[in-house]
Amino acid sequence: MDRPGSGIGLFRRHTRTPADALFRRIFLINGLVFTFGTLVLALSPATVSSRVRLTEIPVLLVGLAVILAANAFLLRSSLAPLEKLIASMQRVDPLRRSGRLDEHGNGDMSRVIDSFNAMVQRLESERATASASALAAQEGERQRIARELHDEIGQSLTVALLSMKRAADRAPDDVVDVLHGAQETVRSCLDEVRGIARRLRPDVLDDLGLSSALAALCTEFASTAGITVTRDVDRNLPRLAPDVELVCYRIAQESLTNIARHAEAERVELSLRIAGDSLVLRVRDDGRGGVDDDGAGIRGMRERALLVDADLTIESPPEQGTEVCLTIPHPNGGSRS
């Protein structure tokens, strides 16, 4: 009588792994090569004396060379997908969706390639899930801070302004000028607090939609950075899913921030258009370009693009400016009325 679990253990012992498949392939190739060499030696008229003659050495060397060449050719063609697999491993980047091997290989090598592609898919899915949680927490914290700045600090500064105005109305003439200067300082602080709150969580995005939010963003950028901005935003763009609108806004915001800090540009072009069944956001500048490495800002943009299954490309030839292009397929799939 079989012991419990013996059938499972027998099945496990006989399950073929990719390593077993590779061993069998190499063993079979070598076996075929040596069998072919043996048949040729047995059927050919060539003979070898008990004492090898000088005239027989070239024949032996030619035969050995043929066997080795055939073995090397078969092994090279059989293991060629491994080299492509190693190259794919070296360029895996879940943020760029790169690293998959399109070639399916032959025979048992296809199992290795399929397993690798499945691993890359899991990495991308897990990275997207982790990024979604982190960015959702970040947006929640931004919204909380913006609300506190607007409601608490903003109201406190407003109360201070009103108190200064009442004090200025009753103060002697030599104190009025001082109070007016203090009022201007507090009013400037209030405007700055409101600007910070607006950048942290723009109310216009929730109230009026992406088109109006991008228009306000470009206007504020042009006034603060002193860079001319040309907008080409589709005013008839329907309301999209909240996550799609937020991703577009944040990527445009980060692109403009990078331009102000690093590009040394004079003009910026921002466009948002529907192209076929995709939504395309482009931000182009005429700055110095030459962006080679992905900094924290660019990696953050790539993470946001993954949240809506979008493609983000950045072209930055030296001295020819930089173009950021976000392509979101089927943006109306999650649209809201």
Side-chain angles (χ1 to χ4, degrees), residues 5 9 20 32 37 84 96 123 128 170 242 271 277 308 331:
D20 293 334
L32 290 175
K84 297 181 180 179
R96 296 175 180 267
L123 284 176
R170 301 175 182 177
S271 66
D277 58 352
V308 292

PDB file of all heavy atoms in Angstrom, residues 5 9 20 32 37 84 96 123 128 170 242 271 277 308 331:
ATOM      1  N   GLY A   5       0.876  10.762   0.300  1.00  0.00           N
ATOM      2  CA  GLY A   5       1.774  11.784  -0.241  1.00  0.00           C
ATOM      3  C   GLY A   5       2.837  11.235  -1.145  1.00  0.00           C
ATOM      4  O   GLY A   5       3.602  12.002  -1.720  1.00  0.00           O
ATOM      5  N   GLY A   9       5.009  13.207  -4.054  1.00  0.00           N
ATOM      6  CA  GLY A   9       6.467  13.251  -4.095  1.00  0.00           C
ATOM      7  C   GLY A   9       7.003  12.704  -5.397  1.00  0.00           C
ATOM      8  O   GLY A   9       7.959  13.261  -5.969  1.00  0.00           O
ATOM      9  N   ASP A  20      16.455  21.242 -16.027  1.00  0.00           N
ATOM     10  CA  ASP A  20      16.437  19.887 -16.577  1.00  0.00           C
ATOM     11  C   ASP A  20      16.292  19.927 -18.090  1.00  0.00           C
ATOM     12  O   ASP A  20      16.945  19.157 -18.816  1.00  0.00           O
ATOM     13  CB  ASP A  20      15.271  19.091 -15.977  1.00  0.00           C
ATOM     14  CG  ASP A  20      15.467  18.839 -14.485  1.00  0.00           C
ATOM     15  OD1 ASP A  20      16.635  18.814 -14.052  1.00  0.00           O
ATOM     16  OD2 ASP A  20      14.458  18.710 -13.784  1.00  0.00           O
ATOM     17  N   LEU A  32      23.881  13.439 -30.346  1.00  0.00           N
ATOM     18  CA  LEU A  32      23.689  13.364 -31.794  1.00  0.00           C
ATOM     19  C   LEU A  32      24.995  13.595 -32.543  1.00  0.00           C
ATOM     20  O   LEU A  32      25.297  12.912 -33.534  1.00  0.00           O
ATOM     21  CB  LEU A  32      22.642  14.392 -32.227  1.00  0.00           C
ATOM     22  CG  LEU A  32      21.194  14.112 -31.810  1.00  0.00           C
ATOM     23  CD1 LEU A  32      20.292  15.282 -32.196  1.00  0.00           C
ATOM     24  CD2 LEU A  32      20.697  12.820 -32.462  1.00  0.00           C
ATOM     25  N   GLY A  37      29.391  11.193 -35.608  1.00  0.00           N
ATOM     26  CA  GLY A  37      30.817  10.944 -35.816  1.00  0.00           C
ATOM     27  C   GLY A  37      31.144   9.461 -35.801  1.00  0.00           C
ATOM     28  O   GLY A  37      31.968   8.988 -36.589  1.00  0.00           O
ATOM     29  N   LYS A  84      19.989  36.966 -25.439  1.00  0.00           N
ATOM     30  CA  LYS A  84      18.965  38.008 -25.503  1.00  0.00           C
ATOM     31  C   LYS A  84      18.241  38.144 -24.168  1.00  0.00           C
ATOM     32  O   LYS A  84      17.863  39.253 -23.767  1.00  0.00           O
ATOM     33  CB  LYS A  84      17.974  37.690 -26.615  1.00  0.00           C
ATOM     34  CG  LYS A  84      18.598  37.679 -28.001  1.00  0.00           C
ATOM     35  CD  LYS A  84      17.570  37.379 -29.065  1.00  0.00           C
ATOM     36  CE  LYS A  84      18.198  37.375 -30.468  1.00  0.00           C
ATOM     37  NZ  LYS A  84      17.202  37.065 -31.516  1.00  0.00           N
ATOM     38  N   ARG A  96       9.626  52.165 -17.215  1.00  0.00           N
ATOM     39  CA  ARG A  96       9.641  52.356 -18.666  1.00  0.00           C
ATOM     40  C   ARG A  96       8.966  51.212 -19.411  1.00  0.00           C
ATOM     41  O   ARG A  96       8.911  51.207 -20.636  1.00  0.00           O
ATOM     42  CB  ARG A  96      11.089  52.480 -19.163  1.00  0.00           C
ATOM     43  CG  ARG A  96      11.815  53.695 -18.628  1.00  0.00           C
ATOM     44  CD  ARG A  96      13.254  53.679 -19.073  1.00  0.00           C
ATOM     45  NE  ARG A  96      13.990  54.833 -18.587  1.00  0.00           N
ATOM     46  CZ  ARG A  96      14.146  55.962 -19.256  1.00  0.00           C
ATOM     47  NH1 ARG A  96      13.611  56.094 -20.446  1.00  0.00           N
ATOM     48  NH2 ARG A  96      14.829  56.964 -18.740  1.00  0.00           N
ATOM     49  N   LEU A 123       6.471  42.439 -11.651  1.00  0.00           N
ATOM     50  CA  LEU A 123       7.206  43.594 -11.133  1.00  0.00           C
ATOM     51  C   LEU A 123       6.494  44.896 -11.471  1.00  0.00           C
ATOM     52  O   LEU A 123       6.355  45.794 -10.628  1.00  0.00           O
ATOM     53  CB  LEU A 123       8.630  43.613 -11.701  1.00  0.00           C
ATOM     54  CG  LEU A 123       9.635  42.632 -11.107  1.00  0.00           C
ATOM     55  CD1 LEU A 123      10.959  42.719 -11.863  1.00  0.00           C
ATOM     56  CD2 LEU A 123       9.865  42.908  -9.632  1.00  0.00           C
ATOM     57  N   ALA A 128       3.301  49.392  -9.834  1.00  0.00           N
ATOM     58  CA  ALA A 128       2.165  50.288 -10.061  1.00  0.00           C
ATOM     59  C   ALA A 128       1.265  50.342  -8.835  1.00  0.00           C
ATOM     60  O   ALA A 128       0.787  51.421  -8.449  1.00  0.00           O
ATOM     61  CB  ALA A 128       1.372  49.829 -11.285  1.00  0.00           C
ATOM     62  N   ARG A 170      -7.653 104.391  14.014  1.00  0.00           N
ATOM     63  CA  ARG A 170      -7.671 105.089  15.300  1.00  0.00           C
ATOM     64  C   ARG A 170      -6.287 105.589  15.718  1.00  0.00           C
ATOM     65  O   ARG A 170      -6.169 106.304  16.711  1.00  0.00           O
ATOM     66  CB  ARG A 170      -8.194 104.138  16.385  1.00  0.00           C
ATOM     67  CG  ARG A 170      -9.595 103.619  16.111  1.00  0.00           C
ATOM     68  CD  ARG A 170     -10.005 102.603  17.138  1.00  0.00           C
ATOM     69  NE  ARG A 170     -11.338 102.046  16.857  1.00  0.00           N
ATOM     70  CZ  ARG A 170     -11.913 101.088  17.579  1.00  0.00           C
ATOM     71  NH1 ARG A 170     -11.277 100.583  18.640  1.00  0.00           N
ATOM     72  NH2 ARG A 170     -13.106 100.649  17.264  1.00  0.00           N
ATOM     73  N   PRO A 242     -11.186  61.422 -12.414  1.00  0.00           N
ATOM     74  CA  PRO A 242     -10.372  62.255 -11.526  1.00  0.00           C
ATOM     75  C   PRO A 242      -8.890  61.905 -11.554  1.00  0.00           C
ATOM     76  O   PRO A 242      -8.040  62.798 -11.511  1.00  0.00           O
ATOM     77  CB  PRO A 242     -10.988  62.010 -10.145  1.00  0.00           C
ATOM     78  CG  PRO A 242     -12.381  61.572 -10.417  1.00  0.00           C
ATOM     79  CD  PRO A 242     -12.329  60.816 -11.708  1.00  0.00           C
ATOM     80  N   SER A 271       0.315  71.811 -24.948  1.00  0.00           N
ATOM     81  CA  SER A 271      -0.874  71.427 -25.718  1.00  0.00           C
ATOM     82  C   SER A 271      -1.530  70.220 -25.075  1.00  0.00           C
ATOM     83  O   SER A 271      -0.861  69.363 -24.491  1.00  0.00           O
ATOM     84  CB  SER A 271      -0.501  71.108 -27.171  1.00  0.00           C
ATOM     85  OG  SER A 271       0.311  69.955 -27.248  1.00  0.00           O
ATOM     86  N   ASP A 277      -8.094  57.799 -30.319  1.00  0.00           N
ATOM     87  CA  ASP A 277      -8.717  57.368 -29.066  1.00  0.00           C
ATOM     88  C   ASP A 277      -7.781  57.603 -27.887  1.00  0.00           C
ATOM     89  O   ASP A 277      -7.889  56.939 -26.857  1.00  0.00           O
ATOM     90  CB  ASP A 277      -9.086  55.883 -29.142  1.00  0.00           C
ATOM     91  CG  ASP A 277      -7.876  55.003 -29.431  1.00  0.00           C
ATOM     92  OD1 ASP A 277      -6.799  55.562 -29.716  1.00  0.00           O
ATOM     93  OD2 ASP A 277      -8.013  53.770 -29.370  1.00  0.00           O
ATOM     94  N   VAL A 308      -2.321  55.467 -14.844  1.00  0.00           N
ATOM     95  CA  VAL A 308      -3.426  55.541 -15.808  1.00  0.00           C
ATOM     96  C   VAL A 308      -3.072  54.784 -17.085  1.00  0.00           C
ATOM     97  O   VAL A 308      -3.664  55.040 -18.141  1.00  0.00           O
ATOM     98  CB  VAL A 308      -3.790  57.012 -16.119  1.00  0.00           C
ATOM     99  CG1 VAL A 308      -4.398  57.673 -14.894  1.00  0.00           C
ATOM    100  CG2 VAL A 308      -2.571  57.793 -16.589  1.00  0.00           C
ATOM    101  N   PRO A 331      -8.957  57.755 -22.835  1.00  0.00           N
ATOM    102  CA  PRO A 331      -9.126  58.574 -21.624  1.00  0.00           C
ATOM    103  C   PRO A 331     -10.574  58.685 -21.158  1.00  0.00           C
ATOM    104  O   PRO A 331     -10.839  58.981 -20.008  1.00  0.00           O
ATOM    105  CB  PRO A 331      -8.590  59.938 -22.050  1.00  0.00           C
ATOM    106  CG  PRO A 331      -8.806  59.973 -23.526  1.00  0.00           C
ATOM    107  CD  PRO A 331      -8.607  58.557 -24.002  1.00  0.00           C
TER     108      PRO A 331
END
